[in-house]
Amino acid sequence: MNIVILGSGNAATHFGQQFQKTGHHIVQIYSKTKANADALAFALHCAAIDQLSELDLHAHLYLIAVTDQAIVSLLEALPKDIKGVVIHCSGATDLSVLAGFKNAGVIYPPQSLSKNKAVDFSTVPLCVEGNTDENSAKLLQLAQTFAPRSIYCNSQQRLAIHLASVMVNNFTNILYQMAYELLAENELSFDLIKPIILETAEKVQNHIPITVQTGPAIRQDSTTMQKHLQFISNKPDLQQIYQLLSQEITKRK
C-alpha cells in the first residue's frame, strides 16, 4: 500500500515506522514546516513536501496526523477528488469531519506517543472506524498487521475511550505531580511512593478497579480523612480534589 502522511509529529512518526515495518510504502511526508517534513522523510526514506499542491493524488491511504485543532483546516485544503482512503488518528474528532471524501476512516491509538520512546503495538488496541463496511474492514486489516488487538469502534465509543484515557493518564499524572510537590515540601523523595504507584497499576490489570480500592474513604475512616484535610489546609485546591475523590470512593462502597 502506498501511504501519504500529513503531519510530522509523534503520531506521524510512530505510524510511519509501523507502516514501513509491515511492508507498506510511505510516499510523502507533508508538514507546513519543511524542516520537520524533511526530518521524518529522511528517516522513512521518502519525499518531503510543505505545499499541498505537491500532494501525490494516487496513494492508497492518506493519514492525517496533526493536532485536533488543525484537522479541519487541513481537510478544507485537501483536494476532494482523492480516491484513496483519508483517515485521521484523533480520539476526540468525529468521523463526520471526513464527510467530504468518498473513502474515509479513523485509526486511533489510545496511547501516549513520543517520538523517542518505542511503543509495543502488539499490546495497544487501535480503534478503527470507516465510512463504509468495506473501508472499516480494510482499515482493521491494516491496523492488525502491527496491532493485532485492534477493534472496530464508532465515534461515540472512541470518544469514551479518549476520555477514559485522559482520566487514567493525564489526570493521574497531575495527581502524581501534586504528590511530588507535597513530599518535596516536607523534604521527602517521590521515590518513596513509586512502589505503591506500581502496585496499584498492576492490580487493575486483572481486577475491576473498585474491587481493589483501599484507603480511608472506602473504610469510611473520617478521623484520618480530617487529619489529611487539616494537613493541607493551606492548599484549598488540593482539599477540594481530596474531598471530591473521597466522595466518589464512598459512593461505591
Side-chain angles (χ1 to χ4, degrees):
M1 182 180 287
N2 290 338
I3 299 172
V4 170
I5 297 177
L6 297 113
S8 58
N10 296 323
T13 299
H14 279 280
F15 275 112
Q17 291 169 344
Q18 294 302 318
F19 289 148
Q20 194 172 72
K21 284 179 184 177
T22 49
H24 300 288
H25 178 219
I26 310 301
V27 179
Q28 289 176 325
I29 300 294
Y30 163 79
S31 175
K32 290 190 296 185
T33 305
K34 186 61 160 55
N36 293 343
D38 285 336
L40 184 54
F42 178 79
L44 297 176
H45 312 290
C46 64
I49 61 171
D50 61 353
Q51 300 295 325
L52 289 174
S53 59
E54 301 172 13
L55 193 70
D56 186 320
L57 299 179
H58 303 290
H60 302 110
L61 185 78
Y62 295 82
L63 170 66
I64 297 169
V66 297
T67 63
D68 286 11
Q69 297 91 332
I71 290 175
V72 172
S73 60
L74 178 55
L75 288 172
E76 290 173 347
L78 284 180
K80 296 302 181 288
D81 57 349
I82 289 176
K83 294 183 175 59
V85 185
V86 179
I87 68 172
H88 68 67
C89 54
S90 166
T93 304
D94 200 277
L95 175 66
S96 62
V97 301
L98 299 167
F101 299 91
K102 181 179 179 181
N103 297 297
V106 181
I107 298 180
Y108 161 62
Q111 175 75 345
S112 292
L113 301 176
S114 301
K115 288 183 182 180
N116 300 320
K117 189 176 188 301
V119 174
D120 180 6
F121 277 94
S122 68
T123 67
V124 179
L126 301 181
C127 303
V128 172
E129 183 178 14
N131 67 335
T132 66
D133 290 344
E134 181 181 354
N135 284 329
S136 290
K138 184 186 299 184
L139 292 173
L140 183 62
Q141 183 179 21
L142 172 64
Q144 288 180 336
T145 59
F146 60 92
R149 296 180 61 192
S150 298
I151 60 169
Y152 289 117
C153 200
N154 64 36
S155 291
Q156 180 173 333
Q157 291 172 321
R158 191 172 68 255
L159 184 59
I161 293 172
H162 187 265
L163 175 54
S165 298
V166 167
M167 292 168 67
V168 300
N169 180 27
N170 309 127
F171 289 174
T172 55
N173 192 68
I174 195 59
L175 288 175
Y176 295 157
Q177 177 60 28
M178 296 173 83
Y180 174 93
E181 292 167 1
L182 184 66
L183 291 170
E185 288 171 7
N186 288 275
E187 300 181 349
L188 294 165
S189 171
F190 186 64
D191 290 345
L192 292 166
I193 63 170
K194 286 181 179 178
I196 198 170
I197 292 172
L198 290 175
E199 181 189 9
T200 303
E202 288 170 357
K203 281 180 180 177
V204 298
Q205 303 305 310
N206 300 300
H207 298 86
I208 296 172
I210 194 61
T211 65
V212 290
Q213 184 71 53
T214 62
I218 200 71
R219 297 193 303 268
Q220 296 186 338
D221 181 354
S222 58
T223 300
T224 297
M225 293 168 68
Q226 285 303 315
K227 285 181 180 179
H228 289 168
L229 289 169
Q230 180 60 36
F231 189 72
I232 55 174
S233 58
N234 63 332
K235 300 178 185 298
D237 289 345
L238 182 55
Q239 277 191 323
Q240 185 177 14
I241 291 169
Y242 183 100
Q243 289 173 312
L244 286 172
L245 292 179
S246 294
Q247 288 169 12
E248 288 301 317
I249 293 169
T250 304
K251 284 179 189 176
R252 291 166 172 76
K253 180 174 170 60

